[in-house]
Amino acid sequence: MLTMNNVSKRYTHRRSDVYALHDANVEIGTGEFLSIVGPSGSGKSTLLLMLGGMLSPTSGQVTLHGTSLYDLSPNERAKMRKQHVGFVFQGFNLVPYLTALENVMIPLFLTNAAQETQESRATELLQRVGLGDRLDHKPAELSIGQQQRVALARMLANDPQLILADEPTGNLDPETSSIVLAFFEQFISEGRTIVMVTHDPRAAERARRKLRIDGGRIIEDAGIKARIVA
Ligand code: ADP
Ligand code: ADP
């Protein structure tokens, strides 16, 4: 469903050019749970952003469902992202002055659905992550683990087939991390695909396939790959 062909990203610095990613080739099948590991500065975030249509490669192609993402106009690419991709960040990126319900409704504002439909959908999503009794809480009134679950509910709002996660357990204690990882297992069993950048060995262990990056190069690609479904 997602491929990178000979993808490089070069940043031009004053003294020299840096390849954040060098000639990456990856094929990710529907239903895969893939982790990306490697030292800080090795190119993990660069890879994730390019997979999500958020950062243009210097050369090479990224395709999602057979569509070359960076041959699309920025508007078309944004539309593709909204239809297929959900993001989870380490810092949750919740809006502090909005309630949990309103935060989850953000992606739904852009749909034409009636206000009540948006509200009931957001309520269901918060119930799904165990926060049905926290709809009107603002992020600061929730524990860190609860904030991450609000972020998961918001990520699910557009029913993404592809979930991209950057250090999703990075701010969480072991107990809360395992709750988030259990949700990831559920998302996989629903047929979604997850690509997760992580420093957390326990999180990396849960993924079936592990990609190791060092110095902008993929140096290891191990584990179970799903049958590739374009
Ligand atoms: P990681 O996520 O593994 O920590 P990154 O993908 O963030 O690594 O960065 C890879 C390399 O690219 C690093 O050397 C970093 O300094 C460089 N880099 C990342 N973003 C930029 C940018 N916007 N401008 C210049 N260099 C960048
Ligand atoms: P946890 O033990 O799950 O990390 P806390 O001890 O921080 O959570 O909070 C316990 C409960 O109290 C949580 O369910 C949270 O929703 C609620 N809570 C925490 N802080 C506030 C607050 N400032 N206002 C309202 N509810 C809060």
Side-chain angles (χ1 to χ4, degrees):
M1 63 139 19
L2 185 62
T3 68
M4 280 191 146
N5 292 313
N6 305 110
V7 168
S8 293
K9 179 70 184 180
R10 190 179 66 232
Y11 288 111
T12 307
H13 290 271
R14 245 170 298 145
R15 288 173 188 282
S16 61
D17 286 356
V18 171
Y19 275 95
L21 201 68
H22 199 92
D23 206 19
N25 286 287
V26 194
E27 279 193 324
I28 302 168
T30 299
E32 279 196 25
F33 187 178
L34 179 105
S35 66
I36 303 177
V37 302
S40 174
S42 57
K44 302 182 298 295
S45 304
T46 300
L47 177 65
L48 198 72
L49 290 173
M50 289 197 294
L51 286 175
M54 298 174 87
L55 180 70
S56 330
T58 310
S59 60
Q61 258 197 340
V62 180
T63 66
L64 177 60
H65 292 301
T67 303
S68 175
L69 282 183
Y70 297 96
D71 288 331
L72 298 174
S73 70
N75 273 342
E76 289 170 327
R77 192 158 55 245
K79 199 169 152 204
M80 187 98 182
R81 218 165 41 222
K82 264 176 234 144
Q83 274 171 0
H84 300 289
V85 189
F87 292 92
V88 190
F89 304 95
Q90 176 174 13
F92 320 138
N93 293 17
L94 298 176
V95 181
Y97 51 84
L98 297 181
T99 64
L101 187 71
E102 289 162 345
N103 267 284
V104 176
M105 284 173 68
I106 293 172
L108 301 169
F109 291 155
L110 305 165
T111 66
N112 292 323
Q115 172 85 10
E116 299 108 70
T117 313
Q118 292 182 19
E119 252 182 56
S120 63
R121 168 115 178 102
T123 303
E124 277 168 30
L125 289 166
L126 283 164
Q127 284 165 347
R128 169 162 186 194
V129 297
L131 296 176
D133 56 351
R134 293 290 185 275
L135 303 182
D136 298 323
H137 284 55
K138 299 205 170 135
E141 299 164 347
L142 297 168
S143 72
I144 297 295
Q146 291 171 331
Q147 290 176 38
Q148 183 58 303
R149 280 187 277 149
V150 174
L152 290 184
R154 184 185 54 187
M155 181 275 293
L156 289 173
N158 59 348
D159 197 18
Q161 290 160 282
L162 173 64
I163 296 172
L164 300 177
D166 199 349
E167 295 282 1
T169 60
N171 282 332
L172 306 179
D173 60 40
E175 201 178 324
T176 323
S177 296
S178 78
I179 293 172
V180 167
L181 292 169
F183 277 114
F184 278 26
E185 303 276 357
Q186 280 184 20
F187 301 156
I188 289 291
S189 69
E190 292 164 359
R192 301 181 209 271
T193 306
I194 302 179
V195 182
M196 166 177 74
V197 166
T198 187
H199 277 114
D200 175 355
R202 265 183 323 255
E205 281 317 307
R206 298 285 274 274
R208 320 272 188 280
R209 177 179 173 192
K210 195 192 283 185
L211 218 63
R212 186 177 299 279
I213 304 196
D214 202 351
R217 291 174 191 271
I218 297 173
I219 58 166
E220 185 189 342
D221 184 354
I224 303 165
K225 292 167 200 165
R227 197 166 56 83
I228 302 299
V229 183

